[in-house]
Amino acid sequence: MSRYRPQPMDFSKLKTVGLLERGGKVKAADFARAYQPGSGVAGLLESLPRILAGESFRAVISAVADARARNRAILWGLGGHVIKCGLAPVLIDLMHRGYATGFAMNGSASIHDFEIALAGHTSEDVEAALPDGRFGTAEETGREMNRAIAAGARDGIGMGEALGRALAAAESSLLYAAYRHGTPVTVHVAIGTDTPHMHPAADAAAIGSTTHRDFRLFCTMVTDLHGGGVYLNAGSAVVLPEVFLKAVSAVRNLGHPLAGFTTANFDFLQHYRPRVNVLERPHATGGGRGYGITGHHELMLPLLAAALIELHP
């Protein structure tokens, strides 16, 4: 005998509904299929369930392919992890195939790419270097990046173009390859976030003027998203989502139509700013759709590239 005064509710008269009448959001027809040996990337994609991220991934592939077919912008926003995980060659190949009309980098992405071009390696051991203040003090990185930025400021070009121009032939450098190809690269920095800002050669006026020019150039690039373009944010959780949102506002403020485009965020976690500033707010009016694809860049971006190449060569 329970000591509690309240008694369990009697469910004997609860109304039920038949499964057929109730229906369901998940159907067996949408389930994954066993991968068939030899069916390749196309077969792998076809085997994915038509549920949640499986459908989102297919939608991103279709949006990017459609953007290329319709001559609309395909813009990639890149955080540092994308570059230091070795994905520049994948992005360079996509650029040559028409699947990238422009790139936006945060400061760390540009540093990793620049160091790869200079020395063939990047990504220092922060924990080992921080105790005695050696972290972020690489001489060549600070000297050469600041030299390139200062020259860019004098010549009236943006930071991304200036950095690409300063590099010698480097097959694995996106900055260099895009510069040679004539594909715009913009670099968006906040003073103090990047190691070259610590170097004695840092010219604050040059850094500010070149990154501001790049912001204005990025706004021009964003206008071409209207009517079927795609913006893919990969690996930037704060800086580039904020830059993108301000660009969207500036473009609309100046009277340019900007609607009916697709956005996607690729990252290990779907952080707040990419979710609201890239996937949601830009589509609040005017249609369009945002997709969050969660996973490791070194797996998801090559898979996306392979799907585009196989399905839409």
Side-chain angles (χ1 to χ4, degrees):
M1 176 71 69
S2 172
R3 297 183 59 187
Y4 300 152
R5 181 179 177 184
Q7 296 299 303
M9 185 172 288
D10 181 2
F11 286 165
S12 62
K13 295 183 179 180
L14 188 139
K15 302 178 185 66
T16 62
V17 61
L19 273 174
L20 186 63
E21 179 185 354
R22 187 208 67 184
K25 295 187 291 183
V26 174
K27 298 177 174 58
D30 297 328
F31 281 13
R33 302 174 188 175
Y35 176 75
Q36 298 302 308
S39 62
V41 174
L44 173 62
L45 289 172
E46 185 61 28
S47 74
L48 297 177
R50 296 189 175 277
I51 299 169
L52 299 175
E55 281 292 77
S56 294
F57 192 69
R58 290 189 185 92
V60 172
I61 294 167
S62 295
V64 175
D66 289 347
R68 187 185 69 164
R70 297 170 63 182
N71 253 350
R72 306 314 298 152
I74 303 171
L75 306 179
W76 292 80
L78 305 175
H81 200 78
V82 173
I83 300 299
K84 74 177 184 178
C85 281
L87 294 172
V90 174
L91 294 167
I92 292 168
D93 181 67
L94 288 177
M95 175 184 70
H96 287 296
R97 295 175 183 272
Y99 284 120
T101 61
F103 299 97
M105 294 182 172
N106 64 10
S108 65
S110 69
I111 292 167
H112 290 309
D113 191 83
F114 202 86
E115 287 190 339
I116 287 292
L118 285 182
H121 61 255
T122 188
S123 192
E124 63 185 305
D125 187 337
V126 178
E127 287 75 13
L130 189 61
D132 64 359
R134 288 181 294 114
F135 165 63
T137 61
E139 169 58 23
E140 295 88 345
T141 305
R143 182 186 68 226
E144 298 304 322
M145 288 190 75
N146 281 300
R147 179 181 293 169
I149 291 167
R154 289 194 300 270
D155 295 342
I157 63 176
M159 187 178 294
E161 185 175 3
L163 293 174
R165 182 180 69 171
L167 293 171
E171 292 183 1
S172 296
S173 168
L174 180 58
L175 285 165
Y176 173 77
Y179 178 76
R180 287 293 303 273
H181 192 254
T183 297
V185 179
T186 59
V187 178
H188 306 270
V189 306
I191 299 295
T193 60
D194 303 318
T195 57
H197 304 165
M198 302 158 55
H199 194 275
D203 181 335
I207 293 169
S209 66
T210 54
T211 199
H212 187 260
R213 181 182 178 88
D214 271 358
F215 174 63
R216 293 186 291 116
L217 175 59
F218 181 65
C219 289
T220 298
M221 293 155 63
V222 165
T223 63
D224 288 332
L225 292 174
H226 178 67
V230 180
Y231 177 71
L232 305 106
N233 183 74
S236 178
V238 178
V239 171
L240 292 182
E242 292 292 349
V243 168
F244 181 68
L245 191 70
K246 276 65 172 187
V248 168
S249 184
V251 164
R252 289 172 173 167
N253 180 284
L254 290 169
H256 298 278
L258 183 59
F261 59 96
T262 298
T263 57
N265 183 60
F266 285 80
D267 215 338
F268 312 127
L269 301 169
Q270 294 299 316
H271 296 282
Y272 169 79
R273 282 177 177 82
R275 178 173 58 81
V276 298
N277 290 356
V278 176
L279 304 184
E280 296 176 3
R281 287 170 172 164
H283 304 298
T285 59
R289 182 77 186 272
Y291 299 95
I293 307 295
T294 305
H296 290 274
H297 303 306
E298 55 270 32
L299 299 177
M300 300 310 299
L301 295 190
L303 179 58
L304 174 64
L308 290 168
I309 293 166
E310 287 289 332
L311 300 178
H312 308 278

